[in-house]
Amino acid sequence: VTTAAGMYPAHTDSSLITIAPRSSVAGLEAKDLASGEWFMIEDALGSGECLVFIGDPADYASSHRYPALMHRPAVREGRAPHRISTPFFLYPRSSAVLKPRGLPALSFNDLNGNTGGCRDNFPWKGASCYYSDLIYSLPS
């Protein structure tokens, strides 16, 4: 986890699908799983375009054939000091059961809660990477 100013923790979404219009300032980095390199994915977007990507439930339902997008918000030096982002998250019912071929059935509720570290065990993930696993504190 980086502590550089303007950098936030990398994560995958717990939504089935995320639709993310370009932010007020390009600042969404994605990780190339083949090379391990981070790149500013919003730089390729025009003003009226958006990103559509899958989260962990679709990753699991596809038996990991389609990995969730590992990403992190970032505001780089030389860009505006603030970034406004308005993503839309599509979630399945909490009682929905994902039954991918070759993997055990798993409820969305368990997947979303990372019950038993199930999201951490995705084959392409090296570590836990969820906002729910992070500890936030208010400034004193």
Side-chain angles (χ1 to χ4, degrees), residues 18-81:
T18 300
I19 302 171
R22 184 183 167 109
S23 302
S24 61
V25 174
L28 186 66
E29 291 186 339
K31 187 172 191 176
D32 181 323
L33 295 178
S35 69
E37 297 292 319
W38 288 95
F39 62 98
M40 189 65 70
I41 195 167
E42 283 186 301
D43 281 344
L45 292 178
S47 61
E49 296 178 324
C50 64
L51 296 168
V52 178
F53 55 92
I54 66 169
D56 285 339
D59 179 317
Y60 191 78
S62 73
S63 298
H64 307 298
R65 182 174 181 182
Y66 303 105
L69 181 70
M70 180 70 69
H71 59 286
R72 63 186 179 193
V75 177
R76 298 282 186 200
E77 279 189 49
R79 297 189 185 220

